Amino acid sequence: MDIKDEQKQKAKGEGNSVMVKVATFIVDRRNLFFLIFGIGIIFCLISSGWVKVENDLAAYLPGTSETRRGIDLMGEEFITYGTADIMVTNINYDEARRIADIIESRSDVYLLSFDDSSEHYNNFSALYNITFRYAEDDDKALEALEDIESGLEGYDIYVSTSMGDASAKQIESEMQVVSVLVAIVVLSVLLFTSLTYAEVPVLILTFGASAILAAGTNFMLGTISFVSNSVTIVLQLALSVDYAVIFCNRYKEEHESLSIREADIIALSKAIPEIFASSLTTIGGLVAMLFMQFGIGRDMAICLIKAIFFSLFSVFLLMPGLLMIFGKAMDKTKHKSFVPKIPLVGKFDYHTRYIIAPAFVVLIIAAMLVQKNCPFVYGYSQIETPVKNSTQIAQEMIEESFGRSNFVALVVPSGDYDKEKKLLAELDNMPEVDHTQGLANTEAMDGYMLTDQLTAREFSELMDVDYEVSELLYMAYAINDENYAKIINGFSGYSVPLIDIIMFLYDEVNQGYVTLDSETFDKLRDANDKMTMAKQQLQGENYSRMLVYLTLPEEGEETFAFLDKMHEIAGRYYDESKVLVAGNSTSQYDLKKSFDRDNTVVSVVSILAVLVVLLFTFLSAGMPVLLIAVIQGAIWINFAFPALQHNNLFFLGYVIVSSIQMGANIDYAIVISGRYTELRKIMDKKTAIIETLNFAFPTIITSGSMMVLAGFMIGNLSSDGAICGIGQCLGRGTIISIILVMFVLPQILMVGEKVIEKTSFEVSSPIKLDRGFGTVRVDGFVRGQVNGAVIGEMHALVKGEVNAIVTMGNMVTEGEDDEK
């Protein structure tokens, strides 16, 4: 029988299954799929520029959270003008004063705060608090700031502002560097773990296509978070590169006895269910993040799940065609494996099975208890990142000289200035409050506050206008405000808030009803401009806003407790359900509340999702529990590290990494447990575990090393606290998972064999002794007589008599097959 007949025989042995037909269609119509992918890639390269990115974590808080409601309400009721803090160092006070006068004289600057106090001049450094005449989202405010910076060229300056997207651009730049380094790492790992050099471009092209398609379709989601935009591609690689590796390895195995086309078809038909089953655990872990209240979880889950599906599409539809193109080159560039066998690890696991297994139980219990004390933080103020961007450096320099400012906005129903004044006064007396600012305690002129009630005579003296004019103005105001009763009861006692009468007078002058001399009019216009901007910032149609500057840090139990205290105090003056507090501290308080709930939900859902997949994979209740215990133990050990080191960890790292670790790292455990279960049918424990680890090590080291290096690169090259934390935890967690599946899981499998056996619900197939005589094709694990006793994996043609049990694979007698 020649080689073509052998290939034909094996193809028949595989059967004309639906999967083979699907695989044949994909391989033979490869040019169609090349065209589809080509069009898709070109489109996505263009559409990737359409993606909108949200840089504010608070935007993903639940709509019912206080911060979210406060931000939405303030957006409707008030105008927030652009602000910036500029620190100029190595300067004397006279020069600092001169610069202040120049900045204050600018037409685009509404307010400049600077004096000779230590709050603005300290250690030969000057701090200018600037408020612009434009809203903070107006490009003119940013242009004004840039113009001021250019005017200070030659000075040592540090700028801190919430305007613009400098931080987002910095993060994008950092992740571009990370992506390049990860690409180099991937290429290096693939070269090291490959068996033929030409398979590397196949894998790179497959992943590159999936990454471009995933990134280019993000615009369909509307807006994605800066976290998803930064790490999705890198995590996509780490989570799904083994899909292409599995298919490639399956192809090389089949190609040992089949031609390129037939090997491609058979390998694809076998790889589709195998890879799809493997992806379910990863997707199951990510699905858990969809249940988070904090929207970034859902955002990342959708982006990553979509990316994994594009990876599957690329492996199933594009890679078969690439194998056809590179097949001959793969044959010519074969080389020996660089990945060593590790029999010593298998022997160690076998001899320590009764020591490591119980020790691991003690370890994970201890880790579970320790990680509960992990020092989570919900803002960036207490996080140290390995690298710092220019914004962080400027903020640190300013804080070092002038301290850190922490304020929140207190929003209450408007209309009662007396209540506002009393509330502000009570808050000012609290030790946790440095000072407050609202219409009721902001000085307007000559010691009068904006909301102080002035009679007509007091107003005439303040503005230096005739009393008769002032009296007529007050009468007009009363009529306009329908306060006839107050005039009738006694005009001399009738008073109006200063801000209201100033703005009313300005309107009357503009309409020509009142005439003032030029000096008085200039004074009035200046007062009206400042009061208008103050009112736009602090008073809306239905609500008033007060700024409360705290002496407390941005986050902490004391800070969070005082936020509740503020509600209690404001509740004595207003309906507490209509009182809102918004700011960095409130945002972090809300994040803490959502995390307490999200943490439990994500852990439970990810475990249940993976458990369901494993139950159907192994048809056993015991095996999934053991595998999940190992990976959950890895998660607890991972987060015990920051607890023991007292390193603050941004909460998002825990939620996201724990779900990714459960969904992705469980694959390593599946590879080992699945292979061990197969080999135990024909081998003793020691031989089976040694062969299992030799088989699994290349797969684990390939995808595992990529995830580890990708994680640590993200963690050590990003200046953003959230992204940095995700990277560090992912890298460390993957190392721990690899160690546990190599040095702990084997012992658990050997010790727990009886548990797995007794909890199995697999329906056993009756033992069938296959017989053949003549020329017999045998593929699979065989136990029986083939011209002598044979136990092992066979791929052979036997001329003679075969009496054997084929537990995996098939046996076909050529004569019988030809008759069929």
Side-chain angles (χ1 to χ4, degrees), residues 104-221:
E104 193 170 22
S105 65
R106 292 176 60 97
S107 60
D108 47 22
V109 172
Y110 158 63
L111 181 65
L112 174 73
S113 295
F114 178 78
D115 52 39
D116 59 357
S117 68
S118 60
E119 293 180 358
H120 293 283
Y121 187 80
N122 187 32
N123 294 328
F124 296 97
S125 297
L127 179 64
Y128 305 102
N129 306 125
I130 304 171
T131 302
F132 297 97
R133 291 187 179 274
Y134 312 108
E136 64 177 357
D137 57 355
D138 191 331
D139 290 339
K140 291 181 180 179
L142 197 57
E143 290 170 5
L145 175 59
E146 292 171 351
D147 192 43
I148 292 174
E149 289 183 64
S150 63
L152 294 173
E153 188 176 352
Y155 291 95
D156 295 328
I157 67 170
Y158 298 91
V159 180
S160 175
T161 181
S162 59
M163 300 187 300
D165 55 357
S167 295
K169 291 179 180 177
Q170 179 69 29
I171 293 171
E172 184 178 353
S173 175
E174 292 167 354
M175 294 312 299
Q176 288 174 353
V177 173
V178 170
S179 298
V180 171
L181 293 176
V182 168
I184 295 173
V185 166
V186 169
L187 182 61
S188 302
V189 171
L190 291 178
L191 285 171
F192 176 74
T193 58
S194 67
L195 292 176
T196 168
Y197 293 118
E199 73 183 61
V200 175
V202 173
L203 299 174
I204 294 294
L205 289 171
T206 301
F207 176 74
S210 65
I212 292 172
L213 292 172
T217 52
N218 281 335
F219 79 94
M220 295 188 298
L221 302 178

Side-chain angles (χ1 to χ4, degrees), residues 450-456 459 474 477-478 481 483 493-502 504:
L450 287 173
T451 61
D452 282 353
Q453 303 272 349
L454 274 69
T455 63
F459 182 74
Y474 268 61
Y477 181 89
D481 201 38
N483 283 323
Y494 177 57
S495 60
V496 178
L498 177 58
I499 187 173
D500 294 340
I501 197 64
I502 286 285
F504 179 74

Side-chain angles (χ1 to χ4, degrees), residues 261-320:
R261 175 179 176 275
E262 281 71 27
D264 202 0
I265 292 172
I266 299 303
L268 181 60
S269 68
K270 292 179 178 179
I272 289 176
E274 182 181 352
I275 293 171
F276 186 71
S278 174
S279 70
L280 288 178
T281 55
T282 304
I283 293 172
L286 296 174
V287 164
M289 293 196 295
L290 293 173
F291 293 86
M292 288 175 60
Q293 285 184 324
F294 188 40
I296 276 191
R298 294 190 297 274
D299 182 75
M300 280 201 70
I302 292 171
C303 288
L304 285 172
I305 291 172
K306 177 169 66 69
I308 287 174
F309 275 114
F310 275 115
S311 294
L312 292 173
F313 296 153
S314 296
V315 170
F316 295 156
L317 303 178
L318 177 64
M319 189 172 170

